Amino acid sequence: MPDNEIIIRVGAFSFALVCLLLWEHFAPRRVTLDGHWIRRVNNLALVLVTILIVQLLLPVLALVGIADAVAKHDWGLFNNVDLPGPVVIVLSILILDFTIYWQHRLFHAWQPLWRLHQVHHSDKEFDVTTGIRFHPFELIISLCLKAAVVILIGAPALAVLIFELILNLLPMFNHSNVKLPLALDRYLRLVVVTPDMHRVHHSQIREETDSNFCFSVPWWDRLFHTYRDQPREGHPQMHIGLKQFTNSDTIHLSELLLLPFRRSPE
């Protein structure tokens, strides 16, 4: 499975990216203000840099491979309890999802981590490439946390692969600048994070930035009272990004990589 994992993830990522870019082009939710194709290219370049760093320096953090090793040695909770396989897979995915929710909140609450996470929030637009715009150090920290959880709970390799696909694909969807019928959005956000729901999280108003932390299912936000239904200014008018950064600060790859070390947190 580890060999096939790369093919599956790259194929799914590429297909989803093309589909969402086309959807954004033909049915956008908001008018794009900056018009910078350079911004999108550099957001994508940031992903390639992260992949290169992880693959060259940290291949040991291949999560599906870790899950295989955990199963062989009977480590972790689910390798030592008698539960049906499908139940273990669902519980593993939910636990990993729950972990990422709290990880996200921690990145907002602790200033050293916020320095990294502000690379994501500094984007002045909100589209599919925003969903993959993360500093390499943030993703490495996330990988280490997920690896620890996989070992602790004994998550099966199939559950890890499914979760990683969800983690790759759903943030691209819920960051995309696509128009959904409002009635559909109202019901869809009961089971999955929609673009209108997550866009609130990218508001310049700090109370809104510190809400809607979920990336796949919306239940943790509702359970822990961090859910916000709509932005104060409305979706077409709301201001995206962080006030202290201008477009020129946050477009080029070099600026994105150095951003956490050049600016003081807000």
Side-chain angles (χ1 to χ4, degrees):
M1 186 176 292
D3 292 335
N4 294 333
E5 177 195 6
I6 296 175
I7 298 173
I8 293 170
R9 290 179 63 177
V10 171
F13 171 86
S14 301
F15 179 75
L17 178 63
V18 171
C19 289
L20 289 168
L21 285 171
L22 290 172
W23 190 354
E24 287 182 337
H25 178 75
F26 289 107
R29 178 68 165 94
R30 285 165 43 98
V31 176
T32 300
L33 300 178
D34 68 6
H36 280 294
W37 63 268
I38 297 176
R39 179 187 61 83
R40 287 188 170 193
V41 170
N42 280 274
N43 285 354
L44 291 169
L46 189 60
V47 178
L48 297 178
V49 170
T50 300
I51 292 172
L52 184 63
I53 291 173
V54 172
Q55 291 300 317
L56 291 180
L57 302 181
L58 298 168
V60 70
L61 289 178
L63 292 182
V64 173
I66 290 174
D68 275 335
V70 166
K72 289 176 183 176
H73 293 88
D74 291 326
W75 294 337
L77 174 65
F78 292 135
N79 288 314
N80 292 279
V81 296
D82 187 17
L83 288 174
V87 173
V88 170
I89 289 174
V90 171
L91 287 176
S92 296
I93 293 170
L94 287 176
I95 291 171
L96 285 165
D97 189 82
F98 183 70
T99 300
I100 296 299
Y101 167 80
W102 282 103
Q103 171 196 291
H104 195 175
R105 291 191 63 172
L106 182 60
F107 269 89
H108 276 249
W110 191 30
Q111 292 291 3
L113 294 179
W114 173 247
R115 283 182 177 272
L116 297 173
H117 192 56
Q118 66 183 356
V119 171
H120 178 62
H121 277 272
S122 64
D123 201 341
K124 291 297 184 179
E125 290 296 336
F126 183 90
D127 61 34
V128 61
T129 67
T130 309
I132 53 180
R133 172 182 161 132
F134 292 94
H135 196 277
F137 288 175
E138 175 174 353
L139 293 185
I140 288 171
I141 292 171
S142 181
L143 268 174
C144 292
L145 177 60
K146 288 184 291 183
V149 172
V150 167
I151 294 170
L152 182 65
I153 69 174
L158 180 58
V160 173
L161 177 59
I162 294 171
F163 176 75
E164 285 294 282
L165 283 171
I166 293 171
L167 185 60
N168 290 161
L169 301 181
L170 272 181
M172 293 169 64
F173 165 68
N174 56 47
H175 284 86
S176 57
N177 182 31
V178 297
K179 183 182 291 185
L180 287 171
L182 295 181
L184 175 61
D185 178 88
R186 185 163 56 251
Y187 290 106
L188 190 59
R189 67 169 58 193
L190 296 176
V191 293
V192 69
V193 177
T194 66
D196 271 16
M197 177 182 166
H198 192 70
R199 189 179 295 106
V200 177
H201 181 73
H202 284 257
S203 167
Q204 288 188 3
I205 300 171
R206 191 59 193 251
E207 294 80 10
E208 295 180 353
T209 309
D210 291 334
S211 69
N212 295 7
F213 292 98
C214 292
F215 80 92
S216 59
V217 296
W219 309 323
W220 315 127
D221 277 315
R222 294 177 184 273
L223 180 63
F224 294 103
H225 308 291
T226 53
Y227 174 74
R228 187 179 292 266
D229 185 67
Q230 299 294 331
R232 185 190 308 170
E233 299 173 329
H235 286 284
Q237 296 82 22
M238 69 179 290
H239 293 84
I240 300 290
L242 299 175
K243 294 178 182 178
Q244 69 267 37
F245 297 115
T246 65
N247 283 335
S248 58
D249 288 328
T250 58
I251 288 180
H252 297 289
L253 177 62
S254 59
E255 290 293 333
L256 296 176
L257 291 171
L258 295 173
L259 204 63
F261 315 108
R262 287 186 170 177
R263 298 282 179 153
S264 296
E266 191 177 40

